[in-house]
Amino acid sequence: GAVVSQHPSRVICKSGTSVKIECRSLDFQATTMFWYRQFPKKSLMLMATSNEGSKATYEQGVEKDKFLINHASLTLSTLTVTSAHPEDSSFYICSARGLAGVGNEQFFGPGTRLTVL
Amino acid sequence: AQTVTQSQPEMSVQEAETVTLSCTYDTSENNYYLFWYKQPPSRQMILVIRQEAYKQQNATENRFSVNFQKAAKSFSLKISDSQLGDTAMYFCAFMKITSYGKLTFGQGTILTVHP
């Protein structure tokens, strides 16, 4: 099956710093990648959709300048949390979908736990 | 806009027994996909089963099967012969055919399988 990796798996940073999370599709070309945020025992909240080579589409209420998304290649998308604050602490999950995805399936990364002190 | 509702925040079942998780959705679309995802304590999302709306036959994957009622907009998941490894949070999800993969998730149901 298709594999999506995320790096780092955990990150702790100080308030005011920026953090970059990478999402890679390891064995397929991801034309579309999605970024989600999840609070404990809650559902996944879609933050943005990114297509390779174009600007990300953000969901309503998500700050574009705070959560910078770049999808520079068919195998890599990055989420940068700028000037992080404690309220940004959360579990961030990416997923990827390729042109050849069976039944439009998305493949999910293992997630990144961000803690902002 | 689509909405997905899972009305059971938590469920429990004894090992080897059968449990059904409920999901309803609201859409004006005629063509779409429905999914059940499992998120175990590791938090890795795993696809359990998928149903295409144009197919009348209910999808089945080993011990997992769905009851898809298109007119009622209902999509329940039945887990037979429950195993301890089935303990996880389960999410029902909806996707429009034309949405380029964008998923709308339900609130999730925490399932605990007891020995």
Side-chain angles (χ1 to χ4, degrees), chain A residues 30-89:
Chain A
T31 51
T32 306
M33 287 186 169
F34 304 87
W35 286 95
Y36 298 88
R37 184 173 180 175
Q38 185 183 30
F39 292 104
K41 296 189 177 182
K42 297 295 183 182
S43 189
L44 280 71
M45 181 191 79
L46 179 65
M47 299 174 66
T49 302
S50 73
N51 292 294
E52 185 264 339
S54 61
K55 290 184 178 180
T57 302
Y58 290 81
E59 295 299 302
Q60 192 173 8
V62 178
E63 298 177 60
K64 301 178 184 181
D65 295 333
K66 180 162 194 62
F67 299 100
L68 300 179
I69 292 171
N70 183 277
H71 191 165
S73 77
L74 283 172
T75 59
L76 174 65
S77 177
T78 59
L79 166 67
T80 301
V81 183
T82 62
S83 186
H85 288 94
E87 57 265 30
D88 299 325
S89 297

Side-chain angles (χ1 to χ4, degrees), chain B residues 49-112:
Chain B
I49 200 164
R50 164 183 41 238
Q51 175 80 44
E52 292 88 345
Y54 64 86
K55 290 186 177 179
Q56 292 186 337
Q57 187 173 7
N58 289 324
T60 299
E61 288 287 342
N62 301 312
R63 299 182 294 108
F64 299 88
S65 62
V66 298
N67 183 0
F68 173 48
Q69 301 290 328
K70 191 173 183 179
K73 296 180 182 174
S74 170
F75 183 60
S76 61
L77 174 70
K78 185 172 82 171
I79 306 174
S80 304
D81 186 25
S82 296
Q83 300 176 0
L84 296 178
D86 295 334
T87 293
M89 192 158 187
Y90 287 81
F91 293 99
C92 178
F94 172 99
M95 186 179 75
K96 289 196 306 184
I97 296 281
T98 56
S99 70
Y100 304 102
K102 183 176 174 179
L103 290 167
T104 301
F105 285 95
Q107 303 91 325
T109 297
I110 298 173
L111 175 67
T112 304

Side-chain angles (χ1 to χ4, degrees), chain A residues 38 43 59 104 106 108 113, chain B residues 33 39 43-44 95 101 106:
Chain A
Q38 185 183 30
S43 189
E59 295 299 302
N104 290 291
Q106 287 184 32
F108 287 82
R113 182 179 302 282
Chain B
Y33 291 97
Q39 188 180 41
R43 304 192 77 169
Q44 172 71 59
M95 186 179 75

